[in-house]
Amino acid sequence: MTFVQRLGACANLVEARLRSLLAALGPGEETRLGQAMRHALLAGGKRFRPFLVLESAGLFGLKAAAALDAAAAFECVHCYSLVHDDLPCMDDDAMRRGQPTVHKAYDEWSAVLAGDALLTLAFEILAQPSTHADPHVRAELVLALAEASGGRGMVLGQMLDLEAEKRSEPAVPELAHISRLQALKTGALIACACEAGAILGCACPRERAALRSYGEHLGLAFQIADDLLDAEGDESTVGKATGKDQAAGKATLVRLLGANEARARLAAAEREAIAALGAFGDKAAPLVEAARFAVSRAH
Ligand code: GRG
């Protein structure tokens, strides 16, 4: 099976589980809120974060079914962040995953509320016994995802990003500032998805730290690749508007350092991500492939 087939198979599993979780825990599919949540969750997407949860859990002998609910929770948080990021008051996008964004398909208030409900749903899923039999493991997952997605993680990263773009604060963003905001905005959730596999698998601290380190380098690679796609990618392949960072004067590594240096840093991040997996040997081949995919992806 190629990496893309493996990622696709994971996406199918995750989507089926998201459908059933939404039917069981959501507000009712006939409601406007339920429909907007479905649009946000089920209109495409690579399901890359769930893939990381499943594959990192697999390192500790867990079958996909045993990690699927945790994986679905990560996708709920990711989808909420995309819905809110696309709003006119944030990044203002009309297309996402090749489809109209939630506020275009519905309206702004429905998009805000669908995002809120998806974020909350993620924690409801993690707290369910079906996520893991051990309540301590469930509590650890809740804590890790809350830290990664909240005001010391992704939300803070988004805040720093928007302050730079909309308020020119700081007036001249330096490399350290951009690196920090990107590590928070994109890296925190990706790193946490990798760590979640270690939590589910009751890994030792050394193995958990190795997966976290892999995830941090992977997150950086993912973000630089995203910036390069925005600068150089084709709108129909990427599935959303491109060229927006330059037009908005966004603080990115590509803008600060140029595309060539950004590509060099992308390659370094890929190498370091793969190196962090060393102790897992051949078992980690799918995660090695995931790092290669993050770097070379076209969407
Ligand atoms: C609104 C709190 C809040 C946070 C928003 C996700 C995010 C933070 C901003 C999105 C801006 C962006 C494009 C960031 C780059 C990395 C990224 C998250 C890309 C989208 O993720 P993919 O490529 O998307 O995994 P799919 O559609 O495949 O799930």
mmCIF file of all heavy atoms in Angstrom, residues 209-255:
data_model
loop_
_atom_site.group_PDB
_atom_site.id
_atom_site.type_symbol
_atom_site.label_atom_id
_atom_site.label_comp_id
_atom_site.label_asym_id
_atom_site.label_seq_id
_atom_site.Cartn_x
_atom_site.Cartn_y
_atom_site.Cartn_z
ATOM 1 N N ALA A 209 8.372 11.564 24.507
ATOM 2 C CA ALA A 209 9.147 12.758 24.134
ATOM 3 C C ALA A 209 9.622 12.645 22.684
ATOM 4 O O ALA A 209 9.650 13.653 21.954
ATOM 5 C CB ALA A 209 10.328 12.922 25.078
ATOM 6 N N ALA A 210 9.976 11.432 22.255
ATOM 7 C CA ALA A 210 10.439 11.252 20.869
ATOM 8 C C ALA A 210 9.304 11.575 19.893
ATOM 9 O O ALA A 210 9.510 12.267 18.884
ATOM 10 C CB ALA A 210 10.919 9.818 20.662
ATOM 11 N N LEU A 211 8.091 11.119 20.207
ATOM 12 C CA LEU A 211 6.962 11.401 19.317
ATOM 13 C C LEU A 211 6.612 12.877 19.319
ATOM 14 O O LEU A 211 6.237 13.454 18.306
ATOM 15 C CB LEU A 211 5.751 10.554 19.715
ATOM 16 C CG LEU A 211 5.815 9.136 19.147
ATOM 17 C CD1 LEU A 211 4.774 8.241 19.774
ATOM 18 C CD2 LEU A 211 5.636 9.168 17.624
ATOM 19 N N ARG A 212 6.750 13.494 20.475
ATOM 20 C CA ARG A 212 6.486 14.941 20.570
ATOM 21 C C ARG A 212 7.502 15.702 19.699
ATOM 22 O O ARG A 212 7.134 16.604 18.950
ATOM 23 C CB ARG A 212 6.574 15.355 22.044
ATOM 24 C CG ARG A 212 6.592 16.801 22.268
ATOM 25 C CD ARG A 212 5.552 17.335 23.238
ATOM 26 N NE ARG A 212 5.252 18.679 22.793
ATOM 27 C CZ ARG A 212 4.074 19.113 22.483
ATOM 28 N NH1 ARG A 212 3.031 18.334 22.593
ATOM 29 N NH2 ARG A 212 3.907 20.338 22.051
ATOM 30 N N SER A 213 8.758 15.308 19.802
ATOM 31 C CA SER A 213 9.800 15.981 19.025
ATOM 32 C C SER A 213 9.534 15.776 17.521
ATOM 33 O O SER A 213 9.617 16.730 16.729
ATOM 34 C CB SER A 213 11.159 15.409 19.437
ATOM 35 O OG SER A 213 12.131 15.809 18.533
ATOM 36 N N TYR A 214 9.206 14.551 17.151
ATOM 37 C CA TYR A 214 8.830 14.283 15.748
ATOM 38 C C TYR A 214 7.700 15.237 15.328
ATOM 39 O O TYR A 214 7.758 15.891 14.283
ATOM 40 C CB TYR A 214 8.384 12.829 15.620
ATOM 41 C CG TYR A 214 7.590 12.522 14.366
ATOM 42 C CD1 TYR A 214 8.208 12.429 13.126
ATOM 43 C CD2 TYR A 214 6.203 12.330 14.433
ATOM 44 C CE1 TYR A 214 7.473 12.158 11.977
ATOM 45 C CE2 TYR A 214 5.466 12.055 13.292
ATOM 46 C CZ TYR A 214 6.098 11.974 12.069
ATOM 47 O OH TYR A 214 5.366 11.719 10.925
ATOM 48 N N GLY A 215 6.667 15.327 16.167
ATOM 49 C CA GLY A 215 5.500 16.149 15.827
ATOM 50 C C GLY A 215 5.838 17.627 15.714
ATOM 51 O O GLY A 215 5.286 18.332 14.863
ATOM 52 N N GLU A 216 6.753 18.091 16.556
ATOM 53 C CA GLU A 216 7.110 19.520 16.491
ATOM 54 C C GLU A 216 7.831 19.843 15.178
ATOM 55 O O GLU A 216 7.533 20.858 14.531
ATOM 56 C CB GLU A 216 7.971 19.896 17.705
ATOM 57 C CG GLU A 216 7.112 20.003 18.963
ATOM 58 C CD GLU A 216 7.905 20.174 20.242
ATOM 59 O OE1 GLU A 216 9.151 20.190 20.201
ATOM 60 O OE2 GLU A 216 7.263 20.263 21.308
ATOM 61 N N HIS A 217 8.771 18.971 14.802
ATOM 62 C CA HIS A 217 9.471 19.209 13.525
ATOM 63 C C HIS A 217 8.505 19.036 12.356
ATOM 64 O O HIS A 217 8.560 19.792 11.376
ATOM 65 C CB HIS A 217 10.667 18.269 13.397
ATOM 66 C CG HIS A 217 11.748 18.556 14.399
ATOM 67 N ND1 HIS A 217 12.425 19.750 14.448
ATOM 68 C CD2 HIS A 217 12.245 17.818 15.415
ATOM 69 C CE1 HIS A 217 13.304 19.726 15.433
ATOM 70 N NE2 HIS A 217 13.201 18.565 16.049
ATOM 71 N N LEU A 218 7.629 18.052 12.469
ATOM 72 C CA LEU A 218 6.637 17.819 11.410
ATOM 73 C C LEU A 218 5.714 19.036 11.271
ATOM 74 O O LEU A 218 5.384 19.458 10.162
ATOM 75 C CB LEU A 218 5.821 16.577 11.759
ATOM 76 C CG LEU A 218 4.716 16.180 10.798
ATOM 77 C CD1 LEU A 218 5.308 15.731 9.462
ATOM 78 C CD2 LEU A 218 3.874 15.044 11.380
ATOM 79 N N GLY A 219 5.293 19.593 12.401
ATOM 80 C CA GLY A 219 4.413 20.765 12.388
ATOM 81 C C GLY A 219 5.075 21.943 11.684
ATOM 82 O O GLY A 219 4.438 22.657 10.893
ATOM 83 N N LEU A 220 6.366 22.122 11.965
ATOM 84 C CA LEU A 220 7.100 23.211 11.307
ATOM 85 C C LEU A 220 7.141 22.962 9.801
ATOM 86 O O LEU A 220 6.862 23.869 8.993
ATOM 87 C CB LEU A 220 8.521 23.301 11.893
ATOM 88 C CG LEU A 220 9.464 24.257 11.186
ATOM 89 C CD1 LEU A 220 8.945 25.697 11.277
ATOM 90 C CD2 LEU A 220 10.880 24.180 11.794
ATOM 91 N N ALA A 221 7.459 21.715 9.432
ATOM 92 C CA ALA A 221 7.513 21.374 8.000
ATOM 93 C C ALA A 221 6.152 21.613 7.347
ATOM 94 O O ALA A 221 6.060 22.179 6.253
ATOM 95 C CB ALA A 221 7.934 19.906 7.833
ATOM 96 N N PHE A 222 5.104 21.199 8.031
ATOM 97 C CA PHE A 222 3.746 21.328 7.504
ATOM 98 C C PHE A 222 3.410 22.795 7.239
ATOM 99 O O PHE A 222 2.822 23.154 6.219
ATOM 100 C CB PHE A 222 2.772 20.730 8.518
ATOM 101 C CG PHE A 222 1.430 20.403 7.947
ATOM 102 C CD1 PHE A 222 1.203 19.177 7.359
ATOM 103 C CD2 PHE A 222 0.389 21.311 8.012
ATOM 104 C CE1 PHE A 222 -0.047 18.853 6.837
ATOM 105 C CE2 PHE A 222 -0.852 21.006 7.493
ATOM 106 C CZ PHE A 222 -1.068 19.774 6.901
ATOM 107 N N GLN A 223 3.811 23.655 8.181
ATOM 108 C CA GLN A 223 3.497 25.078 8.047
ATOM 109 C C GLN A 223 4.312 25.733 6.933
ATOM 110 O O GLN A 223 3.772 26.521 6.146
ATOM 111 C CB GLN A 223 3.760 25.799 9.379
ATOM 112 C CG GLN A 223 3.491 27.298 9.326
ATOM 113 C CD GLN A 223 2.031 27.629 9.030
ATOM 114 O OE1 GLN A 223 1.144 27.164 9.737
ATOM 115 N NE2 GLN A 223 1.778 28.426 7.993
ATOM 116 N N ILE A 224 5.609 25.391 6.859
ATOM 117 C CA ILE A 224 6.418 25.990 5.778
ATOM 118 C C ILE A 224 5.861 25.539 4.423
ATOM 119 O O ILE A 224 5.735 26.338 3.490
ATOM 120 C CB ILE A 224 7.917 25.610 5.905
ATOM 121 C CG1 ILE A 224 8.497 26.100 7.225
ATOM 122 C CG2 ILE A 224 8.710 26.219 4.742
ATOM 123 C CD1 ILE A 224 9.945 25.659 7.483
ATOM 124 N N ALA A 225 5.498 24.257 4.329
ATOM 125 C CA ALA A 225 4.915 23.752 3.074
ATOM 126 C C ALA A 225 3.632 24.518 2.748
ATOM 127 O O ALA A 225 3.372 24.856 1.587
ATOM 128 C CB ALA A 225 4.645 22.254 3.185
ATOM 129 N N ASP A 226 2.834 24.806 3.783
ATOM 130 C CA ASP A 226 1.594 25.546 3.574
ATOM 131 C C ASP A 226 1.890 26.962 3.056
ATOM 132 O O ASP A 226 1.217 27.461 2.151
ATOM 133 C CB ASP A 226 0.814 25.626 4.891
ATOM 134 C CG ASP A 226 -0.669 25.753 4.653
ATOM 135 O OD1 ASP A 226 -1.304 24.730 4.365
ATOM 136 O OD2 ASP A 226 -1.184 26.892 4.737
ATOM 137 N N ASP A 227 2.909 27.590 3.619
ATOM 138 C CA ASP A 227 3.286 28.943 3.175
ATOM 139 C C ASP A 227 3.786 28.919 1.729
ATOM 140 O O ASP A 227 3.490 29.824 0.938
ATOM 141 C CB ASP A 227 4.379 29.517 4.082
ATOM 142 C CG ASP A 227 3.875 29.760 5.506
ATOM 143 O OD1 ASP A 227 2.646 29.789 5.706
ATOM 144 O OD2 ASP A 227 4.709 29.922 6.406
ATOM 145 N N LEU A 228 4.544 27.863 1.394
ATOM 146 C CA LEU A 228 5.039 27.755 0.009
ATOM 147 C C LEU A 228 3.877 27.511 -0.951
ATOM 148 O O LEU A 228 3.850 28.065 -2.052
ATOM 149 C CB LEU A 228 6.068 26.626 -0.105
ATOM 150 C CG LEU A 228 7.465 26.974 0.442
ATOM 151 C CD1 LEU A 228 8.298 25.708 0.661
ATOM 152 C CD2 LEU A 228 8.206 27.938 -0.490
ATOM 153 N N LEU A 229 2.892 26.695 -0.496
ATOM 154 C CA LEU A 229 1.718 26.454 -1.352
ATOM 155 C C LEU A 229 0.956 27.751 -1.579
ATOM 156 O O LEU A 229 0.468 28.017 -2.675
ATOM 157 C CB LEU A 229 0.785 25.427 -0.702
ATOM 158 C CG LEU A 229 1.192 23.961 -0.822
ATOM 159 C CD1 LEU A 229 0.229 23.086 -0.033
ATOM 160 C CD2 LEU A 229 1.214 23.527 -2.278
ATOM 161 N N ASP A 230 0.866 28.571 -0.526
ATOM 162 C CA ASP A 230 0.160 29.844 -0.682
ATOM 163 C C ASP A 230 0.914 30.745 -1.666
ATOM 164 O O ASP A 230 0.304 31.432 -2.482
ATOM 165 C CB ASP A 230 0.020 30.558 0.668
ATOM 166 C CG ASP A 230 -0.791 31.833 0.529
ATOM 167 O OD1 ASP A 230 -2.029 31.733 0.506
ATOM 168 O OD2 ASP A 230 -0.189 32.927 0.385
ATOM 169 N N ALA A 231 2.260 30.705 -1.576
ATOM 170 C CA ALA A 231 3.055 31.593 -2.434
ATOM 171 C C ALA A 231 3.122 31.088 -3.869
ATOM 172 O O ALA A 231 3.133 31.883 -4.811
ATOM 173 C CB ALA A 231 4.471 31.726 -1.864
ATOM 174 N N GLU A 232 3.146 29.755 -4.037
ATOM 175 C CA GLU A 232 3.476 29.212 -5.358
ATOM 176 C C GLU A 232 2.435 28.234 -5.901
ATOM 177 O O GLU A 232 2.517 27.839 -7.057
ATOM 178 C CB GLU A 232 4.827 28.461 -5.291
ATOM 179 C CG GLU A 232 5.974 29.361 -4.832
ATOM 180 C CD GLU A 232 7.267 28.584 -4.577
ATOM 181 O OE1 GLU A 232 7.190 27.339 -4.479
ATOM 182 O OE2 GLU A 232 8.313 29.228 -4.487
ATOM 183 N N GLY A 233 1.484 27.813 -5.035
ATOM 184 C CA GLY A 233 0.565 26.741 -5.417
ATOM 185 C C GLY A 233 -0.554 27.216 -6.331
ATOM 186 O O GLY A 233 -0.800 28.418 -6.484
ATOM 187 N N ASP A 234 -1.217 26.215 -6.899
ATOM 188 C CA ASP A 234 -2.317 26.487 -7.815
ATOM 189 C C ASP A 234 -3.640 26.340 -7.053
ATOM 190 O O ASP A 234 -3.871 25.338 -6.371
ATOM 191 C CB ASP A 234 -2.229 25.467 -8.963
ATOM 192 C CG ASP A 234 -3.458 25.517 -9.828
ATOM 193 O OD1 ASP A 234 -3.746 26.606 -10.341
ATOM 194 O OD2 ASP A 234 -4.147 24.485 -9.950
ATOM 195 N N GLU A 235 -4.480 27.371 -7.195
ATOM 196 C CA GLU A 235 -5.712 27.457 -6.406
ATOM 197 C C GLU A 235 -6.591 26.201 -6.551
ATOM 198 O O GLU A 235 -7.140 25.697 -5.558
ATOM 199 C CB GLU A 235 -6.477 28.680 -6.892
ATOM 200 C CG GLU A 235 -7.427 29.218 -5.896
ATOM 201 C CD GLU A 235 -7.778 30.671 -6.195
ATOM 202 O OE1 GLU A 235 -6.858 31.501 -6.419
ATOM 203 O OE2 GLU A 235 -8.972 30.975 -6.186
ATOM 204 N N SER A 236 -6.697 25.673 -7.781
ATOM 205 C CA SER A 236 -7.611 24.542 -7.984
ATOM 206 C C SER A 236 -7.069 23.284 -7.313
ATOM 207 O O SER A 236 -7.827 22.437 -6.852
ATOM 208 C CB SER A 236 -7.858 24.302 -9.471
ATOM 209 O OG SER A 236 -6.636 24.009 -10.086
ATOM 210 N N THR A 237 -5.733 23.151 -7.230
ATOM 211 C CA THR A 237 -5.157 21.979 -6.557
ATOM 212 C C THR A 237 -5.179 22.156 -5.052
ATOM 213 O O THR A 237 -5.480 21.230 -4.296
ATOM 214 C CB THR A 237 -3.676 21.790 -6.996
ATOM 215 O OG1 THR A 237 -3.581 22.019 -8.380
ATOM 216 C CG2 THR A 237 -3.168 20.406 -6.655
ATOM 217 N N VAL A 238 -4.862 23.367 -4.585
ATOM 218 C CA VAL A 238 -4.763 23.612 -3.141
ATOM 219 C C VAL A 238 -6.157 23.560 -2.492
ATOM 220 O O VAL A 238 -6.287 23.204 -1.322
ATOM 221 C CB VAL A 238 -4.057 24.973 -2.866
ATOM 222 C CG1 VAL A 238 -3.985 25.267 -1.379
ATOM 223 C CG2 VAL A 238 -2.646 24.969 -3.447
ATOM 224 N N GLY A 239 -7.200 23.901 -3.247
ATOM 225 C CA GLY A 239 -8.561 23.809 -2.721
ATOM 226 C C GLY A 239 -9.021 25.060 -2.003
ATOM 227 O O GLY A 239 -10.081 25.087 -1.370
ATOM 228 N N LYS A 240 -8.198 26.106 -2.039
ATOM 229 C CA LYS A 240 -8.577 27.395 -1.439
ATOM 230 C C LYS A 240 -7.770 28.481 -2.145
ATOM 231 O O LYS A 240 -6.839 28.170 -2.912
ATOM 232 C CB LYS A 240 -8.293 27.388 0.065
ATOM 233 C CG LYS A 240 -6.846 27.156 0.414
ATOM 234 C CD LYS A 240 -6.557 27.243 1.903
ATOM 235 C CE LYS A 240 -5.058 27.074 2.135
ATOM 236 N NZ LYS A 240 -4.599 27.288 3.457
ATOM 237 N N ALA A 241 -8.117 29.732 -1.860
ATOM 238 C CA ALA A 241 -7.423 30.841 -2.515
ATOM 239 C C ALA A 241 -5.937 30.805 -2.169
ATOM 240 O O ALA A 241 -5.561 30.480 -1.047
ATOM 241 C CB ALA A 241 -8.036 32.157 -2.062
ATOM 242 N N THR A 242 -5.079 31.131 -3.132
ATOM 243 C CA THR A 242 -3.637 31.224 -2.862
ATOM 244 C C THR A 242 -3.197 32.688 -3.068
ATOM 245 O O THR A 242 -3.979 33.520 -3.509
ATOM 246 C CB THR A 242 -2.833 30.293 -3.798
ATOM 247 O OG1 THR A 242 -3.224 30.572 -5.136
ATOM 248 C CG2 THR A 242 -3.095 28.837 -3.495
ATOM 249 N N GLY A 243 -1.934 32.959 -2.715
ATOM 250 C CA GLY A 243 -1.406 34.317 -2.860
ATOM 251 C C GLY A 243 -1.929 35.262 -1.800
ATOM 252 O O GLY A 243 -1.726 36.483 -1.871
ATOM 253 N N LYS A 244 -2.609 34.718 -0.786
ATOM 254 C CA LYS A 244 -3.242 35.584 0.216
ATOM 255 C C LYS A 244 -2.226 36.147 1.210
ATOM 256 O O LYS A 244 -2.385 37.255 1.692
ATOM 257 C CB LYS A 244 -4.316 34.804 0.987
ATOM 258 C CG LYS A 244 -5.553 34.528 0.153
ATOM 259 C CD LYS A 244 -6.690 34.090 1.022
ATOM 260 C CE LYS A 244 -7.155 35.210 1.939
ATOM 261 N NZ LYS A 244 -8.055 34.773 2.975
ATOM 262 N N ASP A 245 -1.196 35.365 1.537
ATOM 263 C CA ASP A 245 -0.236 35.806 2.558
ATOM 264 C C ASP A 245 0.473 37.079 2.099
ATOM 265 O O ASP A 245 0.614 38.040 2.848
ATOM 266 C CB ASP A 245 0.809 34.709 2.831
ATOM 267 C CG ASP A 245 0.182 33.477 3.471
ATOM 268 O OD1 ASP A 245 -0.989 33.553 3.885
ATOM 269 O OD2 ASP A 245 0.873 32.446 3.557
ATOM 270 N N GLN A 246 0.919 37.043 0.847
ATOM 271 C CA GLN A 246 1.633 38.203 0.276
ATOM 272 C C GLN A 246 0.698 39.411 0.280
ATOM 273 O O GLN A 246 1.063 40.495 0.748
ATOM 274 C CB GLN A 246 2.061 37.841 -1.156
ATOM 275 C CG GLN A 246 2.718 38.970 -1.922
ATOM 276 C CD GLN A 246 4.170 39.166 -1.489
ATOM 277 O OE1 GLN A 246 4.819 38.231 -1.038
ATOM 278 N NE2 GLN A 246 4.659 40.397 -1.593
ATOM 279 N N ALA A 247 -0.548 39.199 -0.215
ATOM 280 C CA ALA A 247 -1.497 40.319 -0.320
ATOM 281 C C ALA A 247 -1.823 40.902 1.050
ATOM 282 O O ALA A 247 -1.980 42.116 1.194
ATOM 283 C CB ALA A 247 -2.773 39.825 -1.013
ATOM 284 N N ALA A 248 -1.895 40.037 2.062
ATOM 285 C CA ALA A 248 -2.279 40.511 3.398
ATOM 286 C C ALA A 248 -1.064 40.984 4.194
ATOM 287 O O ALA A 248 -1.200 41.479 5.310
ATOM 288 C CB ALA A 248 -2.983 39.394 4.159
ATOM 289 N N GLY A 249 0.124 40.824 3.630
ATOM 290 C CA GLY A 249 1.337 41.186 4.361
ATOM 291 C C GLY A 249 1.557 40.276 5.563
ATOM 292 O O GLY A 249 2.040 40.701 6.612
ATOM 293 N N LYS A 250 1.174 39.001 5.429
ATOM 294 C CA LYS A 250 1.271 38.058 6.545
ATOM 295 C C LYS A 250 2.726 37.740 6.874
ATOM 296 O O LYS A 250 3.577 37.687 5.986
ATOM 297 C CB LYS A 250 0.554 36.760 6.149
ATOM 298 C CG LYS A 250 -0.287 36.168 7.264
ATOM 299 C CD LYS A 250 -0.954 34.922 6.763
ATOM 300 C CE LYS A 250 -2.032 34.348 7.620
ATOM 301 N NZ LYS A 250 -2.839 35.131 8.450
ATOM 302 N N ALA A 251 2.962 37.521 8.184
ATOM 303 C CA ALA A 251 4.309 37.193 8.642
ATOM 304 C C ALA A 251 4.564 35.708 8.431
ATOM 305 O O ALA A 251 4.071 34.880 9.189
ATOM 306 C CB ALA A 251 4.436 37.535 10.122
ATOM 307 N N THR A 252 5.289 35.363 7.370
ATOM 308 C CA THR A 252 5.628 33.943 7.138
ATOM 309 C C THR A 252 7.128 33.834 6.882
ATOM 310 O O THR A 252 7.785 34.823 6.525
ATOM 311 C CB THR A 252 4.883 33.362 5.910
ATOM 312 O OG1 THR A 252 5.458 33.913 4.721
ATOM 313 C CG2 THR A 252 3.396 33.641 5.949
ATOM 314 N N LEU A 253 7.641 32.606 7.025
ATOM 315 C CA LEU A 253 9.070 32.392 6.758
ATOM 316 C C LEU A 253 9.387 32.652 5.291
ATOM 317 O O LEU A 253 10.462 33.142 4.962
ATOM 318 C CB LEU A 253 9.458 30.944 7.107
ATOM 319 C CG LEU A 253 9.517 30.577 8.582
ATOM 320 C CD1 LEU A 253 10.117 29.192 8.757
ATOM 321 C CD2 LEU A 253 10.333 31.585 9.376
ATOM 322 N N VAL A 254 8.428 32.333 4.414
ATOM 323 C CA VAL A 254 8.658 32.546 2.983
ATOM 324 C C VAL A 254 8.839 34.041 2.705
ATOM 325 O O VAL A 254 9.736 34.449 1.963
ATOM 326 C CB VAL A 254 7.489 31.969 2.145
ATOM 327 C CG1 VAL A 254 7.672 32.265 0.665
ATOM 328 C CG2 VAL A 254 7.367 30.463 2.370
ATOM 329 N N ARG A 255 8.008 34.852 3.327
ATOM 330 C CA ARG A 255 8.122 36.307 3.104
ATOM 331 C C ARG A 255 9.401 36.861 3.712
ATOM 332 O O ARG A 255 10.067 37.726 3.143
ATOM 333 C CB ARG A 255 6.919 37.043 3.710
ATOM 334 C CG ARG A 255 5.696 37.002 2.807
ATOM 335 C CD ARG A 255 4.695 38.061 3.196
ATOM 336 N NE ARG A 255 5.104 39.387 2.823
ATOM 337 C CZ ARG A 255 4.946 40.465 3.601
ATOM 338 N NH1 ARG A 255 4.433 40.360 4.791
ATOM 339 N NH2 ARG A 255 5.312 41.644 3.169
#
